[in-house]
Each structure stands twice: as structure tokens, then as C-alpha cells.
Amino acid sequence: MLRNDIFLGRLPRLLQLSTLLLGLLMPSLAMAQVGGLDAITVQDSEEGTTYSVSLQILFLMTLLTVLPAAVLMMTGFTRIVVVLGILRNAIGTAQTPSNQVLIGLAFFLTLFVMYPVFERVWEEAVQPYMAEELAPDQAVQTAMVPFREFMTAQTRESDLAMFMRISDNGPVESMDDVPFTVLVPAFVTSELKTAFQIGFILFLPFLIIDLVVASTLMSMGMLMLSPMIISLPFKIMLFVLVDGWSMVMGTLAASFFT
């Protein structure tokens, strides 16, 4: 209950992160309706290069198109949704829970797991950028640091070494020197491997129930009766008695903090 209260208390800040881009767009859209869309302008000064609001809107709209891929590839969403999908297949309930429910569970559990990373991005990159203390490129570089640390902690050295070898990158002195284009695929590969390992462990007790039911039906000569019909109620009962959803969700969340 305490962790749930903390998460619900932090939820408004997560919503602020998701609505930040829309808040930046609204004044510009209002000006465009009054005076029309200005031409793209780029100005060079001693402080650096500044872009017109129209060009910034174009950049933001482009980022919105790649945001789903970033959520999938740079957070714990991949591991969570794969484990939940394997769990549903292990129980044998076909489309229950539905895909929408599994995606929703994976999304909010990802928010819970990634909240420390999002909070650092908000405090170290988004707020200084909105206060005009950081340039856009500096804000992006600062925002990448928490994600890099999170992915580095979850990435196996063997996967990272494989992609470093494939990309012809030489030895690096520290993880900070690993290119981001190498770290992301290594992180995704490690996440898939971890997800299948967790899924295998979850599959075993349900597999044992299927084997016991199938052997019992065969010994009774009931070969025409599908074992899945008989084993499904027992698997659901077992999952409910051991409080399976709490165990699975808690184990998935804890797996990112070890």
C-alpha cells in the first residue's frame, strides 16, 4: 500500500512529462492561427545557433513519431510485455487477459519502474531547457545520461561485446564511451533474453499440471477428451491461490532494481 501511495503521488509529475510537448506546441499553434505560419529562419550568434518556432515545431512533431519506438527500446517495457504474454500462453486462457489489458499493465508497470529515470530527466534536462538554461542539443545529451545508466545496468557484457565487435568498435575505457547506437540493441537483446528466462520459470508449474492431467486421462482411456479443457481450471485455481498476479508483477518490478 505504501508503494502504491508513493506511485500515485508521483503520477501527476509523470503526466506533466507526457504533456510537456503539447504545452510547448499550444502557444505556437495559436500564433499560427492568427498570423499564419512564418518561414523557417535560422540565426547565428555568439551564443550559438537559434531556430525559429516553426522549425522547433517540426522537430517536435518528428520526435513524436519515434516516441513509441523509444519507449519500447529504451525502457523496461519489452521485458514486461514479453513475460506477460508468455504467462498468458502458459495458463492457456487464449485472449484473456486481452492484448489491451496486457499492454496497459506493461505500460503502467514501466512507468513505475522508470520513474527514477524520468524524474532525473525532468529535473536535469527538461526544467533547465524550459528555463532556457540549456540549449536543445545540450538538453538532449543531458537527458540521455539517465537512460544510458539504466540500460547499462541491465545489459549483459556478452551482448554488449557482440555488438561492439559487429560494429568494429575498439575497446573502450568505460561504459560512457560506448556509442548509444551500440548500447540500445545490446540492451534490447539482453531484455529479450531475461524475459524468456523469467517466462521459462513461470511456464514450468503450468507444464507440470498439463502433464499430470494428460497422463491421468490417458490412464483412464479418455483419449478423445482434450487435456487443456481439464487442466485449465486447475491452472487458474493454482494461479489464484498463490496470488500469482502480485508475485509476477512484484518479481518483474524487482528484477530491474537488483
Side-chain angles (χ1 to χ4, degrees):
M1 292 297 296
L2 180 59
R3 177 167 290 186
N4 292 336
D5 294 339
I6 295 175
F7 176 66
L8 292 176
R10 294 173 175 175
L11 188 57
R13 185 171 296 182
L14 296 174
L15 296 178
Q16 290 178 352
L17 279 171
S18 62
T19 57
L20 172 63
L21 295 178
L22 294 179
L24 293 175
L25 287 176
M26 292 304 294
S28 302
L29 293 177
M31 293 176 60
Q33 292 177 357
V34 175
L37 189 63
D38 297 332
I40 296 176
T41 59
V42 180
Q43 297 179 353
D44 294 326
S45 61
E46 296 179 355
E47 298 179 355
T49 303
T50 58
Y51 301 92
S52 66
V53 176
S54 302
L55 190 57
Q56 292 181 13
I57 293 176
L58 179 61
F59 288 157
L60 291 176
M61 296 302 294
T62 304
L63 290 176
L64 287 177
T65 61
V66 300
L67 185 60
V71 171
L72 290 174
M73 298 295 103
M74 297 171 57
T75 65
F77 183 86
T78 302
R79 180 191 304 186
I80 295 171
V81 75
V82 169
V83 170
L84 292 180
I86 294 176
L87 175 63
R88 184 176 65 180
N89 292 333
I91 297 176
T93 53
Q95 295 299 318
T96 304
S98 63
N99 292 332
Q100 291 83 354
V101 174
L102 291 186
I103 295 298
L105 287 174
F107 176 74
F108 281 100
L109 188 57
T110 302
L111 289 182
F112 175 80
V113 170
M114 298 296 298
Y115 178 80
V117 177
F118 293 153
E119 187 176 29
R120 285 188 56 189
V121 172
W122 175 265
E123 295 177 352
E124 299 176 6
V126 177
Q127 287 184 339
Y129 171 72
M130 296 179 64
E132 299 183 355
E133 297 176 359
L134 288 178
D137 55 343
Q138 295 175 339
V140 171
Q141 293 296 327
T142 304
M144 289 171 59
V145 174
F147 283 99
R148 175 183 287 272
E149 294 178 357
F150 172 79
M151 290 188 292
T152 299
Q154 308 298 327
T155 304
R156 291 177 171 82
E157 294 183 0
S158 58
D159 296 328
L160 186 60
M162 178 187 67
F163 282 98
M164 290 288 289
R165 184 178 65 256
I166 294 175
S167 59
D168 292 331
N169 284 288
V172 294
E173 297 181 358
S174 64
M175 292 298 299
D176 296 335
D177 299 329
V178 176
F180 208 72
T181 54
V182 174
L183 181 59
V184 172
F187 167 74
V188 175
T189 304
S190 296
E191 286 294 281
L192 290 173
K193 186 181 299 183
T194 303
F196 275 86
Q197 290 176 348
I198 298 175
F200 171 76
I201 296 175
L202 291 175
F203 217 106
L204 285 180
F206 301 108
L207 179 61
I208 294 175
I209 293 178
D210 287 332
L211 291 176
V212 171
V213 171
S215 300
T216 303
L217 293 178
M218 185 176 298
S219 63
M220 297 175 61
M222 304 174 65
L223 301 179
M224 301 302 296
L225 182 61
S226 174
M228 293 296 297
I229 300 176
I230 306 300
S231 63
L232 180 58
F234 290 99
K235 291 189 288 186
I236 294 177
M237 181 182 64
L238 173 66
F239 194 69
V240 172
L241 289 178
V242 300
D243 199 7
W245 284 113
S246 297
M247 293 178 59
V248 171
M249 303 295 279
T251 300
L252 282 175
S255 65
F256 291 96
F257 296 100
T258 57

